[in-house]
Structures are given as C-alpha cells and as structure tokens.
Amino acid sequence: MHTSTETDLNRTASQGFEARFGRVPAVVAFAPGRVNLMGEHTDYNGGYVLPMPLGLGVSVALGPGDSPGDIRFASAAFEAEETRRVDEAATGAWSDYVLGALKALVTSEITEAGLCVFVASNLPMGAGLSSSAAIEIGTLRAAAAMFSKPADPVDFALKARAVENDFVGMPCGIMDQFAVSVGAPGNALFLDTRTLEYHPAPLPEGYSFLVIHSGVSHQLTDSGYATRVAECKAACTALGVEMLSDLDDDDLPRIDAIAEPLNRRARHIVTDNRLTRDGLAVLEAGDAVAFGRLMVGSHATERDNYQITVPETDALVAAAVADGALGARQTGGGFGGAIVVLVADEAVDGFSARLAAAFPATRLLAVT
Ligand code: GLA
C-alpha cells in the first residue's frame, strides 16, 4: 500500500538525488519505521514482541555511480556528501547502515560500477522508532530492485540484523528489522523471536495509538543497551538456562534469589513476555481496555526491573494515564525516546493538546 507519506518521501528522495548527482535515480524504495506496543528487550532473549509499522519512514534512491567501488552518499538531513569504498569498515556515520546493507546484497555490482545513494527520512533519529532498520530495509529493497535480486522480506530482516550486529556493532535482536520488513500497515505484528513465527494482530476499533517523543533522545550504541544484553547472558548462566524466555512465572522465586541486578533483568523478561502474549490475546478479543492495562504493567517492569526508563518518560506515562488514556508505556530500546499511548479516537485531540501544554518538550510524532 502506498501511503501519501510514502509517495511524498519517494518524491523527495528522487528529487534530492537528481539535484545532488545531476541525473535521475534508477530506483526509489520506502521502508517504514515502527513503534513497539509491547515486549521490550525480549527479542534477544528469544521472547515475544508486538511491534507495529508506522506511516513515517525512509526512502532510498539509488543510481549508477561514477567510479568502480565508490559509493557517493547524500541525504536530505545532512548537507555534507560522503564518498566511501564498498569494502570500507564502519565509521559510526549514518551511511554505515546503507553501506552495510549494500555490502550484504550487491558488493560485486558496486565493485564493478560504483553507486550513488540519496536518503530522505521523516523518522526522527533517537526516538526509538527504528530509523536505522528503516534505512537498512529501504536500502535492501532499492538495491534488490536495481540489480534484480530476490526480495524476500524475512531474508531481508535477517540480513539487516546482521548489518547491525556484525557491521555497525549494535548487539540488537531481530524485532526492528522484522517489523519494518515483514509488518503490514494497519496491523500490529506478533513475533516469536525464537522461532520467527509471526502473524498479524488486529488493532482495536475506535482507539488510536499515539507516539509521543519525550524530548530526551537516546543513542543505543552508547547507552546501556549492550550492558543489558550482557546482564541477560549472565542471568542465563546464574539460572542455568539457555535463554531467559525459557523461564516463566513459576520461576520467579528462584529468579528473585539471584544477585541484583540480574534478578530484575530476568524478572522483566518473564513479565514482559507474559504481558506480550496476553496482549495478543486481548487484541484478538478486541479488548482495548485490557490492552491499556497491560501497557501500564509493561511500563512498570521497564522502569522497576529493566531500569531503562528516564524520569521524563515516567512522568509522561503517569500524566497520560492520569488524563484518562487507557494505557501508556515507553517504547523501543529505552533510556529516553518515545512513549506510546492508547486513547479513544474521540479523545485524541484534547489529549494531545493538554499533553503539549503540560510538557512543552514533547512532540506528537504519529497517530495510528
Ligand atoms: C532496539 C533494538 C531491538 C529491541 C529493542 C528493545 O530497538 O534494536 O532489537 O531489543 O531495542 O525492545
């Protein structure tokens, strides 16, 4: 489905490409961002997640290059153009996400002829909405179209995760890349990250999910993300399991007996995993009120057990619930970024206006 955002952003990428490189692009491809409704940090623990694609996203325009092995990168967001070799290592620049994805699919084609890339995005970076996964999947889609490669969505999700883990050095799970590549607008996507079994989860009729930036940006590669990954591994060792999603509520007494903070980390995974499984059930039953309650529980375990919230997102979630929202929680990798709030359709306008007045640093990013 082509949303108007997608069409507009593709046009921006195409025009930007032409203005920068003086020729029309060969292809343009779009990939959405995502908001996660439930199941945070469960994905690298073999657990469940419940993300939803957004209308916001990234468009990638590609066209022939000027010299073999060279890739010229430009973007609507950054003035400076960069040229990099296809065999270069990661540098920490935004173009790493594009370069890593290109290397995964079309290294030999670029080695022969070079490539020009122009990226346009309306996804804020550092909001927890998977801007990096959207760049990777958009690049894979565009490269597959340009060089007539097979474009299997699950394979692209796996490739994009490998770009993060092995090229960029971000030890993330599969959720973002999977949601962006496989998810369909209008539904959430329930994914078992252990088996990669997935199916669409219906959104409640008459209600909207609001994505609100807290004003605090996160930077996952610098943040506690890698620490949490390491803590989960240590908790597995302490508990004698391969993955924390092997555990359930019956294991909570022995989880509580291991050392701080590993006990909290394991408790979070068990708790959020259960909430996510229950979340799917109540979405399927069309019970928005119950889903909202689960979201509030999910925020509490993010805050108290996984300790990935910040005072600003805690305050926003509390204010949203006090204002009458059905539920609210911090979404994404954490340490800031966005919250997601469930509100009845007729309450959206009033709710957003009151929140903006009470919290001027916040920004409403999406209503789905
Ligand atoms: C980031 C990572 C995901 C996932 C979330 C937290 O978005 O990229 O793999 O771990 O954080 O749920």
Side-chain angles (χ1 to χ4, degrees):
M1 186 180 82
H2 272 247
T3 61
S4 65
T5 312
E6 181 174 339
T7 310
D8 290 350
L9 208 60
N10 281 347
R11 191 177 312 117
T12 304
S14 190
Q15 289 170 348
F17 186 103
E18 200 174 341
R20 179 69 66 150
F21 301 117
R23 67 200 89 152
V24 291
V27 292
V28 187
F30 173 85
R34 66 96 188 95
V35 60
N36 190 26
L37 301 183
M38 204 100 76
E40 226 64 83
H41 290 255
T42 46
D43 62 348
Y44 53 85
N45 286 293
Y48 306 122
V49 291
L50 196 48
M52 172 176 80
L54 295 170
L56 303 171
V58 172
S59 290
V60 179
L62 299 182
D66 303 304
S67 77
D70 276 356
I71 309 169
R72 291 175 69 188
F73 293 96
S75 119
F78 304 104
E79 267 307 307
E81 185 189 320
E82 241 192 314
T83 299
R84 301 180 66 177
R85 299 288 300 167
V86 67
D87 49 10
E88 229 180 90
T91 60
W94 69 269
S95 52
D96 281 351
Y97 300 112
V98 182
L99 179 59
L102 291 171
K103 273 167 165 329
L105 206 64
V106 287
T107 299
S108 60
E109 287 81 354
I110 297 173
T111 307
E112 251 169 55
L115 195 72
C116 289
V117 182
F118 192 93
V119 175
S121 169
N122 56 15
L123 266 179
M125 297 184 107
L129 304 182
S130 294
S131 52
S132 58
I135 295 178
E136 290 151 3
I137 298 296
T139 302
L140 287 168
R141 286 178 177 168
M146 181 164 170
F147 297 104
S148 308
K149 303 272 180 188
D152 173 59
V154 173
D155 175 55
F156 277 8
L158 294 168
K159 281 193 165 63
R161 183 195 179 181
V163 169
E164 294 277 356
N165 292 173
D166 306 333
F167 187 65
V168 176
M170 159 68 180
C172 62
I174 187 78
M175 168 171 72
D176 301 349
Q177 298 74 21
F178 209 94
V180 166
S181 187
V182 180
N187 281 309
L189 178 106
F190 180 82
L191 170 68
D192 179 340
T193 62
R194 184 189 294 249
T195 62
L196 295 191
E197 275 168 46
Y198 65 95
H199 53 93
L203 299 176
E205 294 267 330
Y207 297 88
S208 294
F209 287 101
L210 274 54
V211 183
I212 298 162
H213 199 311
S214 65
V216 182
S217 270
H218 74 179
Q219 174 53 268
L220 287 183
T221 35
D222 294 348
S223 74
Y225 191 94
T227 311
R228 293 295 179 277
V229 174
E231 287 168 346
C232 286
K233 282 206 184 98
C236 283
T237 308
L239 290 157
V241 293
E242 200 193 321
M243 289 197 253
L244 291 181
S245 57
D246 290 337
L247 302 164
D248 61 26
D249 282 354
D250 295 342
D251 296 297
L252 288 175
R254 74 188 188 94
I255 287 173
D256 287 343
I258 66 170
E260 288 271 357
L262 305 186
N263 51 0
R264 290 178 193 266
R265 307 303 183 245
R267 179 175 265 276
H268 167 77
I269 300 304
V270 167
T271 307
D272 221 21
N273 221 21
R274 172 176 34 79
L275 293 171
T276 306
R277 203 188 45 221
D278 293 352
L280 172 66
V282 300
L283 282 184
E284 284 178 334
D287 190 345
V289 173
F291 194 79
R293 266 199 302 269
L294 298 176
M295 290 173 76
V296 173
S298 180
H299 184 82
T301 179
E302 290 189 276
R303 182 190 60 214
D304 302 337
N305 294 321
Y306 223 58
Q307 298 177 303
I308 52 169
T309 66
V310 293
E312 289 83 351
T313 54
D314 290 339
L316 276 174
V317 164
V321 173
D323 191 83
L326 281 76
R329 59 183 293 280
Q330 182 184 277
T331 182
F335 308 101
I339 66 162
V340 56
V341 185
L342 180 59
V343 178
D345 283 347
E346 60 275 12
V348 168
D349 289 345
F351 175 85
S352 319
R354 286 188 298 278
L355 204 78
F359 296 91
T362 61
R363 196 152 49 97
L364 178 61
L365 299 176
V367 180
T368 305

